[in-house]
C-alpha cells in the first residue's frame, strides 16, 4: 500500500512540474526556420555576444559604444555552435585594460571573432592577435 501511495504522489508531482514547464515556455517566440536558427535565437546570440564584448577589458576600457557591430558568420543551432564577428573602435591602440599606460589618442578599428558553444564563449580573439578570454597575446598556434 505504501509503495502505491509513493507512485501516486510522484505522478502528481510530475504532472505539476510538466504544467509549470509548459506554461513558462513562450510558444510565440519559438518559430522554427528551415535552417534551424530562428530569428529570435539569432537576436539572443548576438545580444549575448554584445554583452561579452562591451564588458570585456578591451572594449570597456575605451570602446566607442556606437561603433560596435556584430554579425553571425556561421551557425549550427542544432549543436548550439555559433561563430560571430564583431567590429568596434577604441580611442587608443592596444588590447585589454590599458588604464595605467599613458597612451596617445589613436582611434583604432578592431575585429573580434567569437565562438559560442552551448551558450558559453569558448574563444574570443581580437585582430588575430589578442585572446580576450585569457588576456594574452596570441601566437599562430594558440589562436
Amino acid at each position: 500500500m505504501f509503495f502505491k501511495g509513493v507512485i501516486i504522489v510522484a505522478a502528481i508531482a510530475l504532472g505539476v512540474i510538466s504544467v509549470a514547464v509548459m506554461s513558462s515556455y513562450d510558444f510565440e517566440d519559438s518559430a522554427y526556420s528551415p535552417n534551424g536558427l530562428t530569428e529570435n535565437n539569432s537576436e539572443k546570440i548576438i545580444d549575448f555576444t554584445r554583452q561579452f564584448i562591451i564588458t570585456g577589458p578591451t572594449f570597456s576600457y575605451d570602446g566607442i559604444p556606437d561603433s560596435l557591430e556584430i554579425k553571425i558568420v556561421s551557425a549550427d543551432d542544432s549543436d548550439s555552435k555559433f561563430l560571430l564577428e564583431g567590429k568596434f573602435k577604441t580611442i587608443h591602440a592596444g588590447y585589454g585594460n590599458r588604464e595605467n599606460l599613458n597612451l596617445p589618442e589613436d582611434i583604432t578599428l578592431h575585429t573580434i571573432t567569437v565562438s559560442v558553444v552551448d551558450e558559453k564563449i569558448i574563444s574570443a580573439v581580437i585582430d588575430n592577435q589578442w585572446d580576450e578570454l585569457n588576456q594574452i597575446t596570441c601566437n599562430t598556434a594558440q589562436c
Side-chain angles (χ1 to χ4, degrees), residues 90-120:
T90 56
I91 296 174
H92 305 94
Y95 308 102
N97 184 342
R98 292 146 284 153
E99 189 173 324
N100 295 326
L101 302 175
N102 187 14
L103 299 170
E105 185 172 309
D106 181 15
I107 304 296
T108 305
L109 177 63
H110 295 288
T111 301
I112 184 169
T113 304
V114 179
S115 297
V116 180
V117 176
D118 294 327
E119 299 181 16
K120 293 183 180 128

Side-chain angles (χ1 to χ4, degrees), residues 13-68:
L14 183 60
V16 170
I17 292 169
S18 296
V19 169
V21 168
M22 291 303 285
S23 64
S24 68
Y25 186 77
D26 190 354
F27 288 97
E28 290 182 5
D29 286 342
S30 64
Y32 174 79
S33 68
N35 67 359
L37 184 64
T38 65
E39 184 175 329
N40 193 37
N41 285 350
S42 63
E43 289 173 16
K44 285 181 182 176
I45 202 70
I46 288 173
D47 288 344
F48 176 73
T49 303
R50 179 182 318 280
Q51 190 64 29
F52 169 79
I53 293 170
I54 65 174
T55 59
T58 300
F59 191 90
S60 65
Y61 173 69
D62 64 347
I64 301 171
D66 293 342
S67 70
L68 180 58

